[in-house]
Amino acid sequence: MTGTIKDKNCELVAKRWAKALMELVQEDEKISKDEVLNDLRTISETINSSEELSSTLDNPVVSIEEKQIVLGKLFQNKIIPIVYNFIFALNLKKRADIISQIAIEFEHELDVLRNITHVDIISAIELTDEKKESIKSRIAEKLNKNILVNWNIDEDIIAGLIFNIDECVVDNSIRHKLEDLSKQIGVV
């Protein structure tokens, strides 16, 4: 199993909050979605970089009011008002502990809005820029999406490519084909 029920629940709740924030942002054309994302990342990085701050926000013994004061001191006049109000609303609903996950989910929402898909591609050797661009173009055309590629090298795959597109893995490597052939002929 790849995660606990609590993790899945946290992810679902974060998706809902991120979706709600995106809807608010889309209502006002003057608000930059990228600025909202950058502010969410700043908040997330600030919280994650301080064990004391993180444990304060996670601690149910610390009152909502005390958490509001801490958040206000840290972020007032440093982030745009919609994000500032959003983190206060999160805190009032006792959800300040999921700000980092909301930042991730908000970025996913923004990618969907912009028709962007992230693709991890693993090859056995370093590919030329021309080959990379050719592969990227073909994937973008097949998926009808804008593609952001993360390139990796793994010499153990012998040859071929492994694609991870939205957690769907397509393994075209020689290693994978040899493993399949071994299973078919009964050599394990």
Side-chain angles (χ1 to χ4, degrees), residues 25 28-37 80 106 114:
V25 170
D28 188 343
E29 293 177 11
K30 291 179 246 158
I31 299 173
S32 162
K33 294 169 190 70
D34 290 314
E35 193 172 358
V36 171
L37 179 58
I80 60 175
F106 187 85
R114 293 178 173 164

Side-chain angles (χ1 to χ4, degrees), residues 1-16:
M1 197 147 99
T2 60
T4 65
I5 292 173
K6 185 179 183 219
D7 291 340
K8 294 291 181 194
N9 186 41
C10 176
E11 187 178 323
L12 285 172
V13 171
K15 280 182 183 184
R16 288 186 194 128

Side-chain angles (χ1 to χ4, degrees), residues 65-134:
E65 293 78 18
E66 290 172 304
K67 291 176 185 179
Q68 294 287 50
I69 291 168
V70 170
L71 290 169
K73 285 181 180 178
L74 284 171
F75 301 112
Q76 191 172 25
N77 301 322
K78 293 183 178 116
I79 58 177
I80 60 175
I82 193 168
V83 178
Y84 186 74
N85 293 335
F86 180 76
I87 63 169
F88 268 73
L90 273 175
N91 185 48
L92 288 172
K93 295 293 185 179
K94 299 180 181 177
R95 294 294 188 183
D97 60 326
I98 63 169
I99 291 173
S100 294
Q101 187 63 39
I102 291 171
I104 293 166
E105 296 301 333
F106 187 85
E107 184 172 13
H108 291 160
E109 288 289 321
L110 193 53
D111 286 348
V112 168
L113 194 64
R114 293 178 173 164
N115 198 30
I116 295 173
T117 296
H118 294 262
V119 179
D120 291 320
I121 301 176
I122 302 170
S123 61
I125 59 169
E126 180 65 39
L127 301 174
T128 65
D129 289 341
E130 295 82 26
K131 189 68 174 170
K132 286 180 180 178
E133 191 55 43
S134 172

Side-chain angles (χ1 to χ4, degrees), residues 56-71:
T56 298
L57 293 176
D58 288 348
N59 191 338
V61 175
V62 178
S63 73
I64 290 173
E65 293 78 18
E66 290 172 304
K67 291 176 185 179
Q68 294 287 50
I69 291 168
V70 170
L71 290 169

Side-chain angles (χ1 to χ4, degrees), residues 122-128 132 151-155 157-161:
I122 302 170
S123 61
I125 59 169
E126 180 65 39
L127 301 174
T128 65
K132 286 180 180 178
W151 298 94
N152 295 292
I153 297 173
D154 180 355
E155 295 171 355
I157 69 171
I158 304 170
L161 299 170

